[in-house]
Amino acid sequence: MSLLKKSMKLPMMIVLSIPLVVSGCSSPSSSAISPSAESSKTPLDSSTETIKAATHSGEEHTLLSDNKEIQVSVPSNWKKYSNKNVEMLFTASDQQENSGLSITRVSKSDLAAGSTLEDAFNIFNDPFSTGLEPGPDTDTYKLNMDSKTASVIESKGSLNGKEVYYLNAALETDNHFYRIFLFHPDGSASVDHDTFVRIAQSVKILNDEMTTEDPGRSSIVKKTLTSEDGYVQIRIPSNWSTSLSLVPDADLQASFVNNEDYMAVLHEAKEDVGADITLQDYYDLIMENNVNPEGNASISERVPVTINGMTGWQVEVRTEVERMKIGYVYTFLESATHFSQVIFWTFESRFDQAKDDYKEYTETYSESQ
């Protein structure tokens, strides 16, 4: 029995992905990160968690997030901006749209019980979910932020394959873990370090209350997504985006990040999987290798489905991925020539609210004959 050609690590949430302000990156500076001893930071493993503030220079002004949840002081030539592709609590950039700031948060209820600041820090820096790859000159340290101690990584690394200088901080409050991300695609520690530290230290959480209402609604108007080879199609709400990618091997994928809704379709020719593979074999392989490799998933009973002439099974999966609680609707289908997976997922906290919609969208899946 051959292994599947397309395997999929269970994806995490796009809320962790980090958009660049600029559409491209210019040539990187050759300056490495080598802050002096007077730098306002201490190593992560230091017993001292209080540090000196960064040197102040230039005029600043204070900005508020739209819902007055976040306050931050930035240089006077910075302004708020909105990114239509990704929902953030707060975003800002300088007037040239070179340096940028984004702030997001993850509810503690969406993480495994007992999750720590270190866990959140690891999640916020996971290359799979963020596209962040630290370079060889990387510093990790503690930083005072809003009368609390934040964990920080500072690096001249890469973001989605583009070189960038960045500061990425994790901050814990009563109800959330916040990610404060500052970057410059052509920056360096010698130029941007003090500015970035000063901005990070100015962040204040004005409202940390849990949010129960969805920040947006999926459109009732649907659109059809078609794979590049023209073989598979599915209809999803028209305001879902295809600009962000979580599953490299997916034939189709889309998301509505306002509500943390995600979708991926993977289909494989039977001749590529193995002549003797049955739907049961395919299901077992996916469950064992991709869905439940550590045995920590709660999997519902399989429900037989027939979708546009294809038969298969549908299951609900609740699991923890890198300490994040996620709910999935998995649909496994077999046609005369292919096996397919149609997968929708979101945070477990809103999975019960979303799963019926996911199943409705799945019913529109079709393959060319």
Side-chain angles (χ1 to χ4, degrees):
M1 182 181 296
S2 67
L3 292 177
L4 301 180
K5 183 178 68 175
K6 294 181 180 179
S7 63
M8 188 189 78
K9 176 182 176 182
L10 284 175
M12 290 190 285
M13 300 292 99
I14 270 289
V15 69
L16 305 181
S17 71
I18 304 164
L20 285 173
V21 178
V22 293
S23 57
C25 295
S26 55
S27 301
S29 166
S30 60
S31 301
I33 295 178
S34 54
S36 65
E38 289 76 28
S39 172
S40 57
K41 58 188 183 181
T42 56
L44 272 176
D45 58 0
S46 171
S47 60
T48 304
E49 293 187 338
T50 57
I51 59 175
K52 296 183 294 184
T55 304
H56 184 276
S57 62
E59 295 183 359
E60 297 181 345
H61 62 153
T62 299
L63 301 176
L64 293 172
S65 61
D66 290 342
N67 293 326
K68 295 181 173 58
E69 297 165 309
I70 305 289
Q71 174 183 302
V72 59
S73 295
V74 294
S76 58
N77 66 330
W78 283 50
K79 60 183 179 181
K80 285 171 56 178
Y81 81 96
S82 297
N83 187 301
K84 295 180 180 179
N85 293 325
V86 179
E87 185 75 9
M88 298 282 180
L89 282 176
F90 181 86
T91 49
S93 69
D94 62 18
Q95 290 180 347
Q96 291 74 37
E97 296 191 341
N98 290 324
S99 295
L101 163 68
S102 67
I103 301 176
T104 57
R105 69 184 181 189
V106 176
S107 170
K108 288 186 174 179
S109 66
D110 286 322
L111 300 185
S115 292
T116 64
L117 180 63
E118 181 180 358
D119 295 324
F121 182 77
N122 292 334
I123 291 170
F124 293 162
N125 288 283
D126 179 79
F128 178 74
S129 60
T130 64
L132 273 177
E133 293 280 1
D137 296 301
T138 296
D139 245 335
T140 54
Y141 54 93
K142 298 288 190 181
L143 191 66
N144 280 342
M145 192 180 301
D146 200 16
S147 301
K148 302 174 182 66
T149 301
S151 294
V152 178
I153 183 170
E154 187 178 354
S155 181
K156 183 81 178 223
S158 67
L159 174 57
N160 297 323
K162 298 178 179 179
E163 289 200 54
V164 61
Y165 168 76
Y166 68 87
L167 184 156
N168 198 22
L171 175 69
E172 181 178 5
T173 59
D174 291 341
N175 296 318
H176 297 89
F177 292 104
Y178 289 78
R179 188 204 66 203
I180 295 89
F181 183 73
L182 289 134
F183 64 92
H184 191 301
D186 193 26
S188 67
S190 60
V191 175
D192 296 299
H193 167 76
D194 279 351
T195 298
F196 282 4
V197 168
R198 192 167 64 251
I199 291 173
Q201 288 186 309
S202 77
V203 170
K204 295 187 182 302
I205 309 302
L206 304 180
N207 184 1
D208 186 47
E209 294 302 312
M210 302 287 289
T211 301
T212 56
E213 296 183 357
D214 288 341
R217 291 179 178 271
S218 292
S219 174
I220 61 174
V221 178
K222 303 297 190 295
K223 63 182 178 183
T224 299
L225 296 185
T226 304
S227 61
E228 289 186 3
D229 62 8
Y231 192 83
V232 299
Q233 291 185 334
I234 193 168
R235 290 182 60 77
I236 58 172
S238 60
N239 58 347
W240 284 37
S241 171
T242 59
S243 63
L244 298 171
S245 175
L246 276 181
V247 186
D249 289 333
D251 297 281
L252 292 172
Q253 54 188 310
S255 59
F256 184 53
V257 295
N258 290 32
N259 275 348
E260 304 291 357
D261 293 314
Y262 306 97
M263 179 277 296
V265 173
L266 299 96
H267 82 287
E268 304 182 72
K270 289 182 176 180
E271 63 184 23
D272 293 332
V273 175
D276 298 329
I277 297 290
T278 66
L279 181 61
Q280 180 70 58
D281 296 329
Y282 184 77
Y283 174 87
D284 290 341
L285 281 168
I286 297 298
M287 284 292 163
E288 180 180 353
N289 296 329
N290 300 116
V291 176
N292 195 27
E294 299 178 359
N296 65 351
S298 170
I299 303 172
S300 69
E301 291 187 7
R302 293 186 307 197
V303 176
V305 293
T306 301
I307 297 175
N308 290 318
M310 293 167 286
T311 58
W313 298 303
Q314 192 169 79
V315 295
E316 298 176 12
V317 178
R318 299 169 190 262
T319 189
E320 291 180 7
V321 181
E322 302 292 340
R323 302 193 66 85
M324 304 186 76
K325 297 178 182 178
I326 306 175
Y328 299 82
V329 173
Y330 263 86
T331 305
F332 300 86
L333 296 170
E334 180 180 14
S335 66
T337 58
H338 286 77
F339 292 115
S340 299
Q341 304 168 58
V342 182
I343 312 152
F344 285 85
W345 69 97
T346 189
F347 277 124
E348 187 182 22
S349 61
R350 65 175 303 273
F351 179 65
D352 286 334
Q353 177 183 350
K355 65 183 183 180
D356 287 343
D357 288 337
Y358 295 165
K359 294 173 183 178
E360 178 185 331
Y361 306 152
T362 302
E363 290 287 332
T364 70
Y365 176 72
S366 64
E367 297 182 1
S368 300
Q369 301 299 320

